[in-house]
Amino acid sequence: IQPYLQNATPTSITVMWEYSNSTNSYLEWGTTPSLGNIASSNSEYTNFPASIFTSKLTNLQADTRYYYQVNSGNSTSAMFDFYTPANSYEEKSINIVAMSDMQIDANNPTKFTEIINDGIINYIQTNYNGNINENLNMILIPGDLVSTGTNYDHWKDHFFSQSEPLFSHVPFYPVLGNHEMNSNFYFQYFDFEDNGTPGFEEHWWYKDNSNVRIIGLNSNSSYQIPEQLDWLDSILNITASDSSIDFVFAQLHHPHKSELWTPGNTSFTGDVITLLEDFTTVSGKPTVHFYGHTHGYSRGQSRDHNHLMVNVATAGGYIDYWGAYPQADYEEYTITQDEWGYVFLEVDAGNDPKFTLKRLSIGDDFITKINNVEDSITIRLNNLPPSNPSGIFPLSSDIVNPDCTILLADNFLDPDNDEHGASHWQISNDCSDFTSPVFDSWR
């Protein structure tokens, strides 16, 4: 497995690679292609005699380009590079990719390669100047990296081999899906912040980059436990008063409400959503939870809280097509598409923090697309709400037909020039109390 990047901070990063035996293997690195520094590594067997090597570089400079290569026995890797994150106080804008469920589709065994090269790398090269890792800071993967987590070849050939052009230059952060099967390979191959609940290390954690706090969770059934929710609640409590954090992005594998595949729903994710919604109300900071499990894209939002719910699948796994499984139309969701693709986020820090989320599609089995923007939404920390709607019909003097009444309000108007997203209509028997309406519609 070629070198790849984990757990980056402004002053440190973890480089990992796998070699065919446990021979002495070390990392050369520096701020120029001449390198000049040597770092030792630790190793452990993965698929004997193959070993995974880990080298942690420390005392680095923030927002700086470094070069590196690996020497193992008589083999030397190609030269790669990475950028350390900027310090949070620098308020530097960042870009993030979120994608999931790249587990192999036997009919499309190199679809993940297509996502990496024709999708992500091509999109950045087309739309930005400079190196890939100057314009992409981190990658989030909410689960199902492989089809069978206990199968070594799935990790080596299906996941790492197809992603090497990107993961050797940009750090990525996964969480456990059901297909990982809680395997030892998963915990050997990744390096996470050690800030979760003691005894559950690497099952849940949080990571900061610029003005964003990333929270990784484990939504598998054996870990849908109070300890995880209590930990999440505690992290959100300290985040509410952290002035350096404007947004919280959580990632976990299972959906709460899946439009393309309702059997995948879990109430645990609903509990996570409730905590995130309560956090937005208390702190005023918008939140998102990214998930997968269902193989298609969905984007929804809480009606009464500044919270997005986004399925970022599928980055390689078979597509859950419309009409193929038990499905539903949930009022929270604005769009659902049965296509391959990924999500790209542009996050602005500074005086007017905001992020724009885009869904980029590469199509399905029948129609090929190349980074088509299928959905886009911008969320601001300091959003100005739209004008309160005024009723046009019926007014107190109007006579209404009890069998069919058309409700009318004035035109939508927003001071930020945002577009209309939804309207909430209610009819009550009491003009001063709408807690128990006789009609309630959110469209």
Side-chain angles (χ1 to χ4, degrees):
I1 295 173
Q2 291 295 307
Y4 59 94
L5 302 171
Q6 293 280 283
N7 204 4
T9 77
T11 59
S12 66
I13 199 166
T14 298
V15 182
M16 304 181 73
W17 65 95
E18 190 180 65
Y19 191 61
S20 54
N21 60 59
S22 59
T23 187
N24 180 41
S25 191
Y26 61 93
L27 183 76
E28 291 187 90
W29 63 279
T31 54
T32 71
S34 299
L35 305 177
N37 302 287
I38 294 178
S40 61
S41 64
N42 299 318
S43 68
E44 60 176 317
Y45 290 120
T46 48
N47 188 43
F48 184 86
S51 297
I52 186 73
F53 291 82
T54 302
S55 184
K56 295 189 176 183
L57 303 182
T58 58
N59 298 317
L60 305 179
Q61 298 297 312
D63 197 18
T64 300
R65 185 182 188 181
Y66 287 91
Y67 299 83
Y68 73 97
Q69 67 180 22
V70 164
N71 290 274
S72 301
N74 294 323
S75 299
T76 301
S77 74
M79 187 173 297
F80 305 104
D81 65 351
F82 64 84
Y83 279 83
T84 49
N87 292 304
S88 61
Y89 61 78
E90 296 179 60
E91 299 279 356
K92 186 173 182 179
S93 298
I94 60 173
N95 294 332
I96 300 172
V97 160
M99 57 180 173
S100 76
D101 295 77
M102 54 282 298
Q103 65 204 74
I104 198 166
D105 174 358
N107 296 321
N108 299 275
T110 59
K111 188 58 65 175
F112 187 35
T113 298
E114 189 177 337
I115 290 281
I116 294 291
N117 292 285
D118 299 341
I120 298 168
I121 292 176
N122 177 46
Y123 179 79
I124 294 173
Q125 289 176 336
T126 302
N127 292 278
Y128 295 89
N129 296 318
N131 297 321
I132 299 296
N133 48 17
E134 286 183 273
N135 298 292
L136 180 60
N137 302 83
M138 61 194 312
I139 301 162
L140 308 181
I141 308 178
D144 281 5
L145 287 65
V146 293
S147 293
T148 307
T150 55
N151 187 319
Y152 167 79
D153 291 331
H154 285 194
W155 289 102
K156 181 173 71 72
D157 299 329
H158 299 174
F159 182 73
F160 284 110
S161 177
Q162 297 197 45
S163 58
E164 179 262 316
L166 187 60
F167 292 171
S168 293
H169 300 275
V170 181
F172 67 98
Y173 304 87
V175 295
L176 285 153
N178 54 296
H179 279 267
E180 276 69 63
M181 303 174 69
N182 211 40
S183 73
N184 194 46
F185 287 130
Y186 176 88
F187 296 100
Q188 288 182 303
Y189 282 135
F190 305 119
D191 180 55
F192 302 100
E193 294 283 0
D194 187 16
N195 51 23
T197 305
F200 297 95
E201 288 82 2
E202 299 195 330
H203 285 277
W204 46 87
W205 44 266
Y206 72 90
K207 181 79 177 173
D208 296 343
N209 196 327
S210 188
N211 61 335
V212 180
R213 176 153 292 168
I214 309 293
I215 300 179
L217 302 169
N218 185 347
S219 59
N220 287 291
S221 57
S222 298
Y223 295 90
Q224 297 177 6
I225 53 178
E227 288 87 341
Q228 185 170 189
L229 293 174
D230 291 344
W231 174 85
L232 174 60
D233 190 37
S234 69
I235 298 305
L236 293 174
N237 283 336
I238 64 173
T239 306
S241 57
D242 189 336
S243 60
S244 67
I245 301 299
D246 298 320
F247 307 111
V248 170
F249 296 167
Q251 62 167 344
L252 73 175
H253 184 61
H254 297 80
H256 176 52
K257 291 183 176 180
S258 170
E259 293 200 321
L260 285 173
W261 185 52
T262 57
N265 292 348
T266 174
S267 60
F268 175 80
T269 300
D271 295 335
V272 170
I273 293 171
T274 297
L275 290 175
L276 293 170
E277 289 177 334
D278 292 344
F279 166 80
T280 68
T281 299
V282 171
S283 68
K285 301 178 181 184
T287 58
V288 185
H289 80 275
F290 300 112
Y291 62 95
H293 201 44
T294 299
H295 292 185
Y297 172 71
S298 286
R299 191 260 299 170
Q301 49 277 318
S302 302
R303 189 187 70 191
D304 301 318
H305 307 273
N306 205 349
H307 176 73
L308 289 183
M309 43 198 79
V310 185
N311 186 340
V312 299
T314 168
Y318 60 88
I319 295 173
D320 291 342
Y321 284 104
W322 286 113
Y325 303 99
Q327 294 166 338
D329 182 10
Y330 296 113
E331 65 176 4
E332 295 96 329
Y333 281 85
T334 296
I335 180 173
T336 294
Q337 289 187 323
D338 49 353
E339 297 180 346
W340 287 296
Y342 60 98
V343 163
F344 195 89
L345 296 112
E346 299 170 308
V347 185
D348 291 343
N351 295 326
D352 184 24
K354 64 179 181 294
F355 67 87
T356 296
L357 180 153
K358 299 177 183 178
R359 170 63 172 189
L360 299 167
S361 172
I362 62 168
D364 58 22
D365 283 298
F366 314 102
I367 299 174
T368 298
K369 299 179 180 180
I370 301 178
N371 288 325
N372 286 34
V373 179
E374 299 293 331
D375 186 34
S376 179
I377 186 169
T378 297
I379 302 295
R380 298 180 183 84
L381 175 65
N382 303 310
N383 183 63
L384 297 174
S387 300
N388 238 9
S390 297
I392 293 177
F393 183 87
L395 301 177
S396 58
S397 59
D398 291 321
I399 298 174
V400 299
N401 182 340
D403 299 316
C404 180
T405 296
I406 297 175
L407 306 177
L408 298 176
D410 62 348
N411 291 332
F412 178 82
L413 184 63
D414 185 87
D416 295 317
N417 293 316
D418 290 332
E419 296 180 17
H420 175 254
S423 292
H424 188 196
W425 301 87
Q426 293 179 308
I427 299 175
S428 173
N429 283 317
D430 186 336
C431 289
S432 59
D433 184 3
F434 280 80
T435 57
S436 299
V438 296
F439 176 81
D440 191 289
S441 174
W442 183 40
R443 298 292 182 88

